[in-house]
Amino acid sequence: MNKANHRTLITVGKLIGFALALPVTYASAETPVYPNRVIQLIAQQPPGSQSEAISRVWADCASRELGQSIVTLNKPGANGVLATNFLKSQPADGYNIMTVGMSQMTITPYIYKQLPYSPQRDFDGITVLSTSPLLLVASVQSGIKQYSDIAAVAKKAAGGIDFGSPGKGSPAHLLTAGVAQQLTVESTHVPFVGEGAAVTALMGGQIQIMTVTSGTAAPLIKDGRMIPLAIYTEARDKAFPQVPTILELTGSKEMALPGWLALVAKAGTPSDVLKRLGDVTAKCVASEAYGTRMEAINAVPVKSSPSDVKLWTDRYTAVFKPMIERLDLAE
């Protein structure tokens, strides 16, 4: 072989080697490591609510673990339907994720005869973030001091008793309606946009009773601005040892259900993204500082997996869906 041909073969070999390397470089540029930009966390309750506070605690911890900013976007309204529809309109890439409660996963879809979304089809579960008890409370002006007083006050008032909630189809709505049914009293549901607005109405005496999250209830009970009547658990809670459980008062376990909050993504989000978010949450749950911040808002972090979101959803749906039908709440 002469020198010219030898040089030609070397040049061709170099070109082929360079060409073979191009797809690798190109692919890596097209598939950057998640996350490489800001993540948006959709909160379905307004600022001041317990679920929104939990969302921000998680976002603060997760952003440090991920090395990327997480911005909380409040989308309150229609008890989570507005937030859900917004998530459904975004790409399934993990850059828009959402915190959802038992309301959005097990109640709201069945309040409407035309389902606004499917918890099982439209979401990919990431993790159950936390649990927290719910409490039945009364306004100071109502004259209700204990659970049995509800019936007496309702029977004296024209139209019975008025109770509030953060919105139609919320756990607060359903559980308080269940209380009225258990006591066989007439009642009127007054929905608000978010828990804060309902609590303001309660303290102002516009409504007599409502069900609230423990994080909201704790400081207001301590200050004497609302009266605790029952806690929706089977056993008394160490944070509210003086408050009787709904099981003690009614003998039924049906309404002894703690609240919970889960993290979900749009269906079709890549599995490696879901795993990354789940792993980061596990690191947060193992952190003492994270647990302390959650405890300050009366929430208990949960060690969880993506499959737990479905398990919890199925368990609570089995209770709430028949209750919705029994109370004739679907519209």
Short mmCIF file of all heavy atoms in Angstrom, two decimals, residues 50-51 54 102 130-135 212-215 231-233 237 240 257-261 294 297-302 312 316:
data_model
loop_
_atom_site.label_atom_id
_atom_site.label_comp_id
_atom_site.label_asym_id
_atom_site.label_seq_id
_atom_site.Cartn_x
_atom_site.Cartn_y
_atom_site.Cartn_z
N GLN A 50 -53.69 24.00 55.91
CA GLN A 50 -52.69 23.03 56.35
C GLN A 50 -52.05 22.32 55.16
O GLN A 50 -50.83 22.12 55.14
CB GLN A 50 -53.31 22.01 57.30
CG GLN A 50 -52.27 21.06 57.90
CD GLN A 50 -52.88 20.00 58.78
OE1 GLN A 50 -53.97 19.50 58.52
NE2 GLN A 50 -52.20 19.64 59.86
N SER A 51 -52.85 21.92 54.17
CA SER A 51 -52.28 21.20 53.03
C SER A 51 -51.29 22.07 52.27
O SER A 51 -50.27 21.58 51.77
CB SER A 51 -53.39 20.70 52.10
OG SER A 51 -54.04 21.76 51.45
N ILE A 54 -48.08 22.11 54.31
CA ILE A 54 -47.35 20.85 54.11
C ILE A 54 -46.64 20.86 52.76
O ILE A 54 -45.48 20.44 52.64
CB ILE A 54 -48.31 19.64 54.21
CG1 ILE A 54 -48.85 19.51 55.63
CG2 ILE A 54 -47.61 18.35 53.78
CD1 ILE A 54 -50.00 18.53 55.77
N MET A 102 -57.20 13.47 50.45
CA MET A 102 -58.18 12.40 50.29
C MET A 102 -59.44 12.92 49.62
O MET A 102 -60.15 12.17 48.96
CB MET A 102 -58.51 11.78 51.64
CG MET A 102 -59.18 12.70 52.64
SD MET A 102 -59.50 11.79 54.17
CE MET A 102 -60.38 13.02 55.13
N SER A 130 -48.12 12.75 54.11
CA SER A 130 -48.37 12.91 55.53
C SER A 130 -49.80 12.56 55.90
O SER A 130 -50.67 12.47 55.02
CB SER A 130 -48.10 14.36 55.95
OG SER A 130 -49.00 15.24 55.28
N THR A 131 -50.03 12.37 57.18
CA THR A 131 -51.38 12.22 57.71
C THR A 131 -51.58 13.26 58.81
O THR A 131 -50.61 13.75 59.40
CB THR A 131 -51.62 10.82 58.30
OG1 THR A 131 -50.77 10.65 59.45
CG2 THR A 131 -51.36 9.74 57.29
N SER A 132 -52.83 13.59 59.07
CA SER A 132 -53.16 14.50 60.16
C SER A 132 -54.63 14.32 60.50
O SER A 132 -55.46 14.13 59.60
CB SER A 132 -52.87 15.96 59.78
OG SER A 132 -53.52 16.30 58.58
N PRO A 133 -54.97 14.36 61.79
CA PRO A 133 -56.36 14.16 62.18
C PRO A 133 -57.23 15.37 61.83
O PRO A 133 -56.74 16.49 61.71
CB PRO A 133 -56.29 13.96 63.69
CG PRO A 133 -55.04 14.67 64.11
CD PRO A 133 -54.09 14.52 62.96
N LEU A 134 -58.50 15.12 61.69
CA LEU A 134 -59.50 16.17 61.47
C LEU A 134 -60.34 16.30 62.73
O LEU A 134 -60.58 15.31 63.42
CB LEU A 134 -60.39 15.82 60.27
CG LEU A 134 -59.66 15.66 58.93
CD1 LEU A 134 -60.60 15.02 57.90
CD2 LEU A 134 -59.15 16.99 58.42
N LEU A 135 -60.81 17.50 63.01
CA LEU A 135 -61.60 17.74 64.21
C LEU A 135 -62.93 18.40 63.87
O LEU A 135 -63.00 19.24 62.97
CB LEU A 135 -60.86 18.62 65.20
CG LEU A 135 -59.66 18.01 65.92
CD1 LEU A 135 -58.38 18.32 65.18
CD2 LEU A 135 -59.56 18.53 67.35
N VAL A 212 -62.43 20.75 60.69
CA VAL A 212 -61.20 21.46 60.31
C VAL A 212 -59.99 20.55 60.45
O VAL A 212 -60.03 19.55 61.17
CB VAL A 212 -60.98 22.73 61.18
CG1 VAL A 212 -62.05 23.76 60.93
CG2 VAL A 212 -60.93 22.37 62.66
N THR A 213 -58.92 20.91 59.77
CA THR A 213 -57.66 20.18 59.90
C THR A 213 -57.04 20.50 61.26
O THR A 213 -57.25 21.58 61.82
CB THR A 213 -56.68 20.57 58.80
OG1 THR A 213 -56.49 21.98 58.81
CG2 THR A 213 -57.21 20.14 57.43
N SER A 214 -56.26 19.57 61.77
CA SER A 214 -55.67 19.74 63.11
C SER A 214 -54.72 20.92 63.17
O SER A 214 -54.63 21.61 64.19
CB SER A 214 -54.95 18.46 63.52
OG SER A 214 -53.98 18.09 62.55
N GLY A 215 -53.99 21.17 62.07
CA GLY A 215 -53.06 22.28 62.06
C GLY A 215 -53.76 23.62 62.20
O GLY A 215 -53.25 24.54 62.85
N ILE A 231 -62.82 14.29 67.52
CA ILE A 231 -61.71 14.09 66.59
C ILE A 231 -62.01 12.82 65.81
O ILE A 231 -62.47 11.82 66.37
CB ILE A 231 -60.36 14.01 67.34
CG1 ILE A 231 -59.19 14.00 66.36
CG2 ILE A 231 -60.30 12.82 68.29
CD1 ILE A 231 -57.85 14.31 67.02
N TYR A 232 -61.80 12.87 64.49
CA TYR A 232 -62.19 11.77 63.61
C TYR A 232 -61.11 10.66 63.59
O TYR A 232 -60.48 10.39 62.57
CB TYR A 232 -62.44 12.28 62.20
CG TYR A 232 -63.62 13.22 62.08
CD1 TYR A 232 -63.43 14.60 62.10
CD2 TYR A 232 -64.91 12.74 61.94
CE1 TYR A 232 -64.51 15.48 61.98
CE2 TYR A 232 -66.00 13.60 61.82
CZ TYR A 232 -65.79 14.97 61.84
OH TYR A 232 -66.86 15.83 61.72
N THR A 233 -60.93 10.04 64.74
CA THR A 233 -59.96 8.95 64.88
C THR A 233 -60.56 7.86 65.77
O THR A 233 -61.58 8.08 66.42
CB THR A 233 -58.65 9.45 65.53
OG1 THR A 233 -58.96 10.10 66.77
CG2 THR A 233 -57.92 10.44 64.62
N ASP A 237 -55.88 11.52 70.29
CA ASP A 237 -54.63 12.04 69.75
C ASP A 237 -53.85 12.75 70.85
O ASP A 237 -54.42 13.49 71.65
CB ASP A 237 -54.94 13.01 68.60
CG ASP A 237 -53.70 13.42 67.84
OD1 ASP A 237 -53.03 14.37 68.27
OD2 ASP A 237 -53.40 12.78 66.81
N PHE A 240 -54.40 16.38 71.21
CA PHE A 240 -55.72 16.80 71.68
C PHE A 240 -56.29 15.75 72.64
O PHE A 240 -57.34 15.16 72.39
CB PHE A 240 -56.68 16.98 70.49
CG PHE A 240 -56.17 17.89 69.41
CD1 PHE A 240 -55.46 17.38 68.32
CD2 PHE A 240 -56.39 19.26 69.48
CE1 PHE A 240 -54.99 18.23 67.32
CE2 PHE A 240 -55.92 20.11 68.48
CZ PHE A 240 -55.22 19.60 67.41
N LEU A 257 -61.47 8.57 60.26
CA LEU A 257 -60.53 8.60 59.14
C LEU A 257 -59.61 9.81 59.23
O LEU A 257 -60.07 10.95 59.11
CB LEU A 257 -61.30 8.66 57.81
CG LEU A 257 -62.24 7.49 57.51
CD1 LEU A 257 -63.11 7.83 56.31
CD2 LEU A 257 -61.44 6.22 57.24
N PRO A 258 -58.32 9.62 59.44
CA PRO A 258 -57.40 10.77 59.45
C PRO A 258 -57.25 11.35 58.05
O PRO A 258 -57.37 10.64 57.05
CB PRO A 258 -56.09 10.17 59.95
CG PRO A 258 -56.17 8.73 59.56
CD PRO A 258 -57.61 8.35 59.68
N GLY A 259 -56.98 12.63 57.98
CA GLY A 259 -56.71 13.24 56.69
C GLY A 259 -55.33 12.84 56.18
O GLY A 259 -54.46 12.48 56.97
N TRP A 260 -55.13 12.89 54.88
CA TRP A 260 -53.82 12.58 54.31
C TRP A 260 -53.58 13.41 53.06
O TRP A 260 -54.52 13.89 52.42
CB TRP A 260 -53.64 11.10 54.01
CG TRP A 260 -54.70 10.46 53.16
CD1 TRP A 260 -55.89 9.93 53.59
CD2 TRP A 260 -54.68 10.25 51.75
NE1 TRP A 260 -56.61 9.41 52.54
CE2 TRP A 260 -55.89 9.59 51.40
CE3 TRP A 260 -53.77 10.54 50.74
CZ2 TRP A 260 -56.21 9.22 50.08
CZ3 TRP A 260 -54.07 10.18 49.43
CH2 TRP A 260 -55.28 9.53 49.11
N LEU A 261 -52.32 13.58 52.73
CA LEU A 261 -51.91 14.35 51.56
C LEU A 261 -50.91 13.53 50.77
O LEU A 261 -50.00 12.93 51.35
CB LEU A 261 -51.28 15.68 51.99
CG LEU A 261 -51.20 16.77 50.91
CD1 LEU A 261 -52.59 17.31 50.59
CD2 LEU A 261 -50.30 17.91 51.38
N MET A 294 -42.91 19.43 60.18
CA MET A 294 -44.23 18.83 59.97
C MET A 294 -45.02 18.79 61.28
O MET A 294 -46.22 19.10 61.31
CB MET A 294 -44.07 17.41 59.40
CG MET A 294 -43.70 17.36 57.94
SD MET A 294 -45.08 17.87 56.89
CE MET A 294 -44.52 17.27 55.30
N ILE A 297 -46.96 21.84 62.28
CA ILE A 297 -48.25 22.09 61.62
C ILE A 297 -49.18 20.88 61.77
O ILE A 297 -50.08 20.67 60.98
CB ILE A 297 -48.06 22.47 60.13
CG1 ILE A 297 -47.17 21.45 59.39
CG2 ILE A 297 -47.49 23.86 59.99
CD1 ILE A 297 -47.01 21.74 57.90
N ASN A 298 -48.92 20.09 62.81
CA ASN A 298 -49.76 18.93 63.16
C ASN A 298 -49.91 17.92 62.03
O ASN A 298 -50.99 17.37 61.80
CB ASN A 298 -51.15 19.40 63.62
CG ASN A 298 -51.10 20.11 64.96
OD1 ASN A 298 -50.89 21.32 65.00
ND2 ASN A 298 -51.27 19.38 66.04
N ALA A 299 -48.80 17.66 61.34
CA ALA A 299 -48.77 16.65 60.30
C ALA A 299 -47.71 15.60 60.64
O ALA A 299 -46.68 15.93 61.22
CB ALA A 299 -48.47 17.28 58.95
N VAL A 300 -47.98 14.37 60.26
CA VAL A 300 -47.05 13.27 60.53
C VAL A 300 -46.51 12.75 59.19
O VAL A 300 -47.28 12.24 58.36
CB VAL A 300 -47.74 12.12 61.28
CG1 VAL A 300 -46.76 10.97 61.52
CG2 VAL A 300 -48.34 12.61 62.59
N PRO A 301 -45.19 12.88 58.92
CA PRO A 301 -44.63 12.36 57.67
C PRO A 301 -44.83 10.86 57.56
O PRO A 301 -44.84 10.15 58.56
CB PRO A 301 -43.14 12.72 57.77
CG PRO A 301 -43.07 13.80 58.79
CD PRO A 301 -44.18 13.53 59.76
N VAL A 302 -44.97 10.39 56.32
CA VAL A 302 -45.25 8.97 56.08
C VAL A 302 -44.16 8.36 55.21
O VAL A 302 -43.77 8.95 54.19
CB VAL A 302 -46.62 8.79 55.38
CG1 VAL A 302 -46.86 7.34 55.01
CG2 VAL A 302 -47.74 9.30 56.28
N TRP A 312 -54.27 3.78 49.43
CA TRP A 312 -55.00 4.71 50.29
C TRP A 312 -56.25 5.22 49.57
O TRP A 312 -57.30 5.39 50.17
CB TRP A 312 -54.10 5.87 50.71
CG TRP A 312 -53.09 5.51 51.75
CD1 TRP A 312 -52.19 4.48 51.70
CD2 TRP A 312 -52.87 6.15 53.01
NE1 TRP A 312 -51.41 4.45 52.84
CE2 TRP A 312 -51.80 5.47 53.66
CE3 TRP A 312 -53.44 7.25 53.64
CZ2 TRP A 312 -51.31 5.85 54.90
CZ3 TRP A 312 -52.96 7.64 54.88
CH2 TRP A 312 -51.91 6.94 55.50
N TYR A 316 -60.15 4.64 51.09
CA TYR A 316 -61.05 5.73 51.46
C TYR A 316 -62.25 5.83 50.51
O TYR A 316 -63.35 6.20 50.94
CB TYR A 316 -60.27 7.05 51.49
CG TYR A 316 -59.52 7.27 52.78
CD1 TYR A 316 -58.48 6.43 53.18
CD2 TYR A 316 -59.82 8.34 53.61
CE1 TYR A 316 -57.78 6.63 54.35
CE2 TYR A 316 -59.12 8.57 54.80
CZ TYR A 316 -58.11 7.70 55.16
OH TYR A 316 -57.42 7.90 56.34
#
